[in-house]
Amino acid sequence: MNLRPLLAGSPMILLLAGCAGDAAGDGDGGSGEATGTAGSGDTGNDPSSDDQPSGEPADSGDVSGNDPSSTDSDSDTDTDTDPTGEPVCEGTEFAGDASAWTLPDLGLPLGGPQLLTQLSDYWGCTNDQTLRYSSLDITGDGVLDLVVTDACDAAGAGTSAWLVHRGGNDGFGDDPESWTLPDLGLPLGGPQNLVQLGDYWGCTNDQTLRYSTIDITGDGMLDLVVTD
């Protein structure tokens, strides 16, 4: 398949920019304050401690941090942290300058200029077959990919594999990777047609195949879930 970058008609991207932590500055809610509260403030929470057994309020010399009027608490910070202790970056606006996101030339018999004018769509090819594609992160790397699930009946797309154009720094890759599909081994009356991310259709025993593509295991990778 001859694939070439298609610069004309490339989507314009307005990147998410700005963090709540950046607006607060380095001195308020930064990593230094978050790590500084993990020391002496934990010492008063030990149930085996002999200090204050009656539950009376701590005196001014207590370092347990149980005084509700204390201003040296983690709750004073309004910047969340991830499990590594790093501040979580929260977007607050779109950047003012747009950048072009390059589309690959699918090289299919489309009867004119390819029109990837939506994130997901389907339309006819000149050989009476169909192009179907979706934009999603199928590889689990955090970047959207262009996934062709039906390529005008070319290269077994939708039968044995999907064609994945990986997302990169500024566009989708030119050369598609083959994303292997399992052989469901069902009485389908012909070649299996997994030409969409989710679909349903009849089997030869008057029953129905139903499937979806979701991350059901929670590992960040899409799974093919057959529900019927």
Side-chain angles (χ1 to χ4, degrees), residues 16 77 123:
L16 192 68
T77 63
W123 37 290

Side-chain angles (χ1 to χ4, degrees), residues 175-195:
D175 298 323
E177 302 175 12
S178 179
W179 190 268
T180 303
L181 298 174
D183 184 352
L184 300 180
L186 301 177
L188 303 177
Q192 67 178 7
N193 295 316
L194 304 182
V195 295

Side-chain angles (χ1 to χ4, degrees), residues 51-56:
D51 294 338
Q52 304 301 330
S54 65
E56 293 295 323

